[in-house]
Amino acid sequence: MAHRFHPTLLREYDIRGVIGQTLGEADGYAVGRSFGTVIKRAGGSKVAVGYDGRLSSPALEQAVVQGLQDSGTDVVRIGLGPTPMLYYAEAVLDVDGGIQITGSHNPTDHNGFKLVLAHNAFFGSDIAKLGAMSAAGDWSEGSGGVETVAIMDRYAARLVEGFDGAAWRIGWDAGNGAAGPVVDKLVKLLPGEHHVLFTQIDGHFPHHHPDPTVEANLADLKALVRSKKLDFGVAFDGDGDRIGVIDGKGRVIWGDQLLGIFAELVLKDRPNATIVADVKASQALFDRISALGGQPLMWKTGHSLIKSKMKEIAAPLGGEMTGHIFFADDYYGFDDGLYAAVRLIRSLTRLRRSVTALRDEMPDMANTPEIRFPVEESRKFAVVEEVRARLLAAGASVDETDGLRVNTADGWWLLRASNTQDSLVVRAEAKGAEGLARLIADIDAQLADSDVIRP
């Protein structure tokens, strides 16, 4: 027996598709069967499996478990919870890998899988290998066992291990995502005053979509912070591996700004350390890391890519503008929005400044948020290549770490193809509003030359 995945399903750093169109239970079975085969052939025997709160996740989880068992791999089911809880289980339990069924921040009819093998991200050529194995039916045979392990309480306790923070007044918005039950446990373990929103898991996401990088999704949290006069608020995406933060005035602290806060303390403890940030990050962050005595490294966007690079160079801290924050100093190096929230509380205490005061100190940059817009899957990479060719022919200054980051006298702009959606991503940053307008005009002109009109 063999199985062919839809060509759009196997992405660069995880596996994602649309339920009933490009993704179904047969794909879940094939992921489990192929990954279990990889585990067995590497000398392993056991895989942890978790799932998020999407309506399709329980059925996909069952299919993955069956695929793993039929490959001869034993399964440890940790149940419903955030992706970092699965990462934690893989790090501390006697297992050889892990699979989380999750659609992350994508629309409600999307879902997918995040994988980890022997404490390392499983991405790129690893994922492509799963596709080839499945298409060939190149699977091991067996009858693995299944056990269930309740790990949420242990995970919540680990989040506050060594906690040395003061009491703050905080709002928490779980967005009806998988982080909700952990948030409910976490606030009982922390000092201070806590107000929670939408901690009941609901795959319909009735209040707002669980993506804190879209400012409109933070409206309820802003209202809570304002009405209760809280110090700050935190929000999480659908699977809890990303964090969003607003200060006491309702201003968003974006992921790259948050990374700058964390960098200050990490570099006090580890002078001259390298800190990794993705290509969407503000130039202000890279300048800030340098000013603090650190070594900034711009790297490719993607949770698996950042984690892998951090391990390669032993970086203690990394992050993305989208709110993936990776601590490898006294944590495990994976992206965990809940742990980032705890570290923020601890950092404020050491810095003796509120989130609002820290935001006040940040340079005011004229920039756009991350702007995503739909482009056909078959065109998105081609458009980037067409723009690249024109820019290089014109002698432009282009950083090709991930997509195109174009430096001009006004600042910089970025164009890249999303690895998780059928879309292009742009961002621009300048020293002032007029420069920003020119950068955006440059982007739109290049897109128009490739017959793409940005909405």
Side-chain angles (χ1 to χ4, degrees), residues 210-400:
D211 183 354
T213 65
V214 177
E215 191 162 357
N217 295 332
L218 299 172
D220 293 305
L221 183 61
K222 289 182 180 183
L224 175 67
V225 169
R226 185 169 55 248
S227 67
K228 300 289 186 181
K229 296 181 170 57
L230 304 181
D231 293 313
F232 64 97
V234 295
F236 307 99
D237 70 336
D239 68 330
D241 59 4
R242 295 189 298 145
I243 185 175
V245 179
I246 62 165
D247 72 359
K249 296 179 180 178
R251 295 173 296 184
V252 179
I253 313 296
W254 299 108
D256 49 358
Q257 295 173 317
L258 196 57
L259 194 59
I261 294 173
F262 293 134
E264 182 170 348
L265 291 174
V266 169
L267 288 169
K268 279 184 179 179
D269 297 334
R270 298 168 185 255
N272 201 45
T274 298
I275 294 177
V276 183
D278 77 322
V279 294
K280 291 181 288 192
S282 170
Q283 186 59 43
L285 170 63
F286 297 108
D287 294 344
R288 175 69 172 155
I289 293 169
S290 295
L292 291 167
Q295 305 297 321
L297 176 65
M298 185 188 298
W299 195 241
K300 299 175 183 179
T301 290
H303 64 94
S304 295
L305 306 176
I306 297 279
K307 278 181 279 202
S308 181
K309 175 55 70 170
M310 287 176 63
K311 280 208 167 190
E312 178 188 327
I313 63 174
L317 177 66
E320 296 184 83
M321 184 199 161
T322 52
H324 289 276
I325 307 292
F326 312 82
F327 290 94
D329 51 356
D330 61 359
Y331 203 56
Y332 304 94
F334 56 72
D335 38 340
D336 188 335
L338 294 145
Y339 182 72
V342 174
R343 279 291 288 259
L344 179 59
I345 299 168
R346 296 173 63 188
S347 297
L348 299 176
T349 305
R350 280 186 65 188
L351 293 169
R352 299 182 181 179
R353 304 201 293 285
S354 67
V355 172
T356 305
L358 289 168
R359 177 63 184 83
D360 286 340
E361 295 170 8
M362 294 177 186
D364 283 324
M365 308 292 288
N367 54 32
T368 70
E370 177 188 45
I371 301 170
R372 288 175 177 258
F373 54 96
V375 174
E376 289 184 12
E377 180 75 19
S378 60
R379 277 288 289 153
K380 65 181 186 180
F381 290 106
V383 169
V384 174
E385 182 55 36
E386 291 165 14
V387 173
R388 172 185 178 274
R390 289 193 294 269
L391 289 169
L392 294 181
S397 172
V398 183
D399 184 306
E400 296 184 55

Side-chain angles (χ1 to χ4, degrees), residues 3-12 14-18 22-24 27-28 31 111-113 127 377 419:
H3 177 82
R4 290 191 178 274
F5 294 111
H6 191 279
T8 63
L9 192 62
L10 305 179
R11 307 291 177 121
E12 171 64 19
D14 46 34
I15 301 170
R16 300 193 193 191
V18 182
T22 63
L23 174 62
D27 299 293
V31 167
N111 215 326
F113 313 92
I127 289 176
E377 180 75 19
N419 279 310

